[in-house]
Amino acid sequence: RDWSSDVCSSDLVLKLTETLESTAQRISKIIQAMKNLSRNSASDPLVLTPVSNLIQDASLIVQERFHLRQIALRVRILPPDLEFYCQPTEISQVILNLLQNAQDALESAPEKWIQLDITDEGEAVEIRITDSGPGIAQTARMHLFEPFYTTKAPGAGTGLGLGICRQIVERHGGTIDFVNDSRPTQFLIRLPKRPPTRTPS
């Protein structure tokens, strides 16, 4: 009897089992992230939230598509333990929407990367989403946050995403803007680290 073939077979089965377990765990995390971001959270209280938690669900949902499209996602949080008061589900939804918009903009870009920078600016947290896409036409910039306005192809978008993002950010007492003087496409979100006078609802 060739015992070596049994050893090879056992090794192969072990590797396949580990791969299946890893894949199942990854899918489970993605499903949980999608469930987290799909719930109605408008009435949730503001809670002190680590920024890394906000990024986790959004990046889990886009990571497979980014991998397939060879898009590099770079994340920098300074300081790494940065946290602030927010409704985490809603702010994660904003980040996810902007990441998905950036992904669409990179469809024909020769170089594909998205940079997510979150920094402590004293009384506020700044979130910058920058991509290597071709940019947004000057004529379109003033309409970006208008309901139903979209620069995407017919059927590829509703034009509601950025408008909803602005509503969420403003309920948190913050601002979201397109950065006109940035050469790559960049959006800037500023959110207070402490709860606004009026709780979002």
Short mmCIF file of all heavy atoms in Angstrom, two decimals, residues 98 132 136 141 156 183:
data_model
loop_
_atom_site.label_atom_id
_atom_site.label_comp_id
_atom_site.label_asym_id
_atom_site.label_seq_id
_atom_site.Cartn_x
_atom_site.Cartn_y
_atom_site.Cartn_z
N LEU A 98 -20.05 56.63 -0.27
CA LEU A 98 -18.95 57.34 -0.92
C LEU A 98 -17.91 56.37 -1.51
O LEU A 98 -17.35 56.62 -2.57
CB LEU A 98 -18.29 58.30 0.06
CG LEU A 98 -19.15 59.51 0.43
CD1 LEU A 98 -18.55 60.26 1.62
CD2 LEU A 98 -19.33 60.45 -0.75
N SER A 132 -8.69 57.95 -7.47
CA SER A 132 -7.83 58.23 -8.62
C SER A 132 -8.60 58.30 -9.92
O SER A 132 -8.02 58.15 -11.00
CB SER A 132 -6.75 57.14 -8.73
OG SER A 132 -7.37 55.86 -8.92
N ILE A 136 -14.71 65.08 -11.55
CA ILE A 136 -16.10 65.45 -11.81
C ILE A 136 -16.11 66.76 -12.58
O ILE A 136 -15.43 67.72 -12.20
CB ILE A 136 -16.88 65.60 -10.48
CG1 ILE A 136 -16.89 64.26 -9.75
CG2 ILE A 136 -18.31 66.07 -10.74
CD1 ILE A 136 -17.51 64.33 -8.36
N ARG A 141 -20.50 69.83 -10.56
CA ARG A 141 -20.12 69.93 -9.15
C ARG A 141 -21.18 70.64 -8.31
O ARG A 141 -21.43 70.26 -7.18
CB ARG A 141 -18.77 70.64 -9.02
CG ARG A 141 -17.63 69.85 -9.64
CD ARG A 141 -16.31 70.57 -9.52
NE ARG A 141 -15.25 69.83 -10.20
CZ ARG A 141 -13.98 70.19 -10.24
NH1 ARG A 141 -13.61 71.30 -9.61
NH2 ARG A 141 -13.09 69.47 -10.89
N ALA A 156 -27.88 53.32 -13.73
CA ALA A 156 -26.76 52.97 -12.86
C ALA A 156 -26.81 53.67 -11.51
O ALA A 156 -26.03 53.36 -10.62
CB ALA A 156 -25.43 53.31 -13.55
N ARG A 183 -6.92 67.92 -6.71
CA ARG A 183 -6.72 67.41 -8.08
C ARG A 183 -7.40 66.06 -8.27
O ARG A 183 -8.17 65.89 -9.21
CB ARG A 183 -5.23 67.33 -8.40
CG ARG A 183 -4.97 67.04 -9.85
CD ARG A 183 -3.54 67.37 -10.23
NE ARG A 183 -3.31 67.22 -11.65
CZ ARG A 183 -2.18 67.51 -12.26
NH1 ARG A 183 -1.17 67.99 -11.55
NH2 ARG A 183 -2.04 67.34 -13.56
#
